[in-house]
């Protein structure tokens, strides 16, 4: 799947940026581990903390207070802000809770939101993964590839 994404982006001369929280750089790493990534991959931000979501992605403190950090709203805003920041054709974001326990009373361990922003809008999917922290992160990266691919071939 990853090779198909890269092939499409290169062929169509499209660009990609990534805003990560739960995946902590793993999603970006999956793209740059492939040869020729500089032709399509513009960059990424790991906005793991609330502070970095505010300061780097310009998501308002009030919006973060009114919505869980693990939410569709935050995921969409991360993707949209990252797309603007890098001026990319596509941007993908990941936010969620990898466990082993939660830091809030709203999200559950394994709850993940993945969003793709493109010129045609923002698409988000929610997941409830099971497994260890590492397994949840790996499942998030794998599903981020699937969601991005789905949005590229529309």
């Amino acid at each position: 799947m990853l090779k198909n994404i890269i092939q499409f982006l290169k062929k169509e001369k499209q660009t990609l940026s990534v805003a990560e929280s739960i995946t902590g750089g793993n999603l970006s790493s999956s793209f740059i581990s492939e040869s020729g990534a500089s032709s399509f991959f513009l960059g990424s931000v790991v906005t793991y903390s609330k502070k970095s979501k505010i300061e780097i992605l310009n998501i308002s403190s009030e919006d973060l207070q009114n919505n869980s950090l693990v939410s569709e709203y935050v995921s969409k805003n991360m993707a949209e802000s990252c797309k603007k920041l890098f001026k990319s054709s596509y941007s993908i974001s990941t936010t969620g809770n990898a466990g082993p326990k939660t830091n809030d009373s709203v999200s559950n361990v394994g709850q993940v939101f993945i969003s793709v922003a493109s010129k045609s809008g923002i698409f988000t999917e929610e997941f409830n993964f099971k497994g260890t922290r590492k397994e949840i992160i790996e499942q998030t990266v794998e599903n981020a590839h699937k969601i991005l691919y789905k949005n590229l071939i529309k």
Side-chain angles (χ1 to χ4, degrees):
M1 175 116 10
L2 182 58
K3 293 213 184 283
N4 291 337
I5 292 168
I6 292 169
Q7 187 177 40
F8 173 89
L9 291 169
K10 286 179 175 180
K11 181 180 173 217
E12 299 298 321
K13 297 182 177 19
Q14 300 293 297
T15 57
L16 177 68
S17 60
V18 177
E20 301 184 67
S21 187
I22 186 174
T23 47
N26 285 284
L27 182 57
S28 298
S29 179
S30 72
F31 292 110
I32 64 168
S33 66
E34 297 294 324
S35 175
S38 62
S39 66
F40 68 89
F41 191 79
L42 297 183
S44 66
V45 291
V46 177
T47 53
Y48 201 72
S49 69
K50 180 178 179 179
K51 181 179 179 183
S52 63
K53 287 174 180 67
I54 295 167
E55 293 180 1
I56 298 169
L57 294 176
N58 296 313
I59 301 173
S60 78
S61 175
E62 184 179 293
D63 284 344
L64 292 175
Q65 203 164 8
N66 294 333
N67 299 277
S68 169
L69 293 176
V70 178
S71 66
E72 179 177 5
Y73 179 86
V74 170
S75 182
K76 283 182 173 183
N77 277 271
M78 287 173 66
E80 183 176 37
S81 294
C82 188
K83 185 176 181 301
K84 287 178 187 172
L85 178 67
F86 287 98
K87 296 176 180 64
S88 57
S89 310
Y90 295 89
S91 184
I92 188 163
S93 70
T94 61
T95 187
N97 192 321
K101 55 187 175 183
T102 64
N103 290 334
D104 61 42
S105 59
V106 183
S107 65
N108 298 313
V109 172
Q111 184 178 21
V112 172
F113 291 88
I114 302 170
S115 295
V116 173
S118 69
K119 64 182 177 225
S120 60
I122 303 171
F123 175 79
T124 303
E125 283 193 38
E126 178 181 4
F127 297 90
N128 290 290
F129 297 128
K130 304 282 185 230
T132 64
R133 182 176 178 82
K134 183 180 179 193
E135 290 167 340
I136 290 170
I137 292 168
E138 288 169 352
Q139 290 172 76
T140 303
V141 170
E142 182 182 317
N143 281 277
H145 292 156
K146 289 177 184 175
I147 292 168
L148 179 58
Y149 183 71
K150 238 190 321 190
N151 279 269
L152 293 177
I153 60 169
K154 279 185 175 180

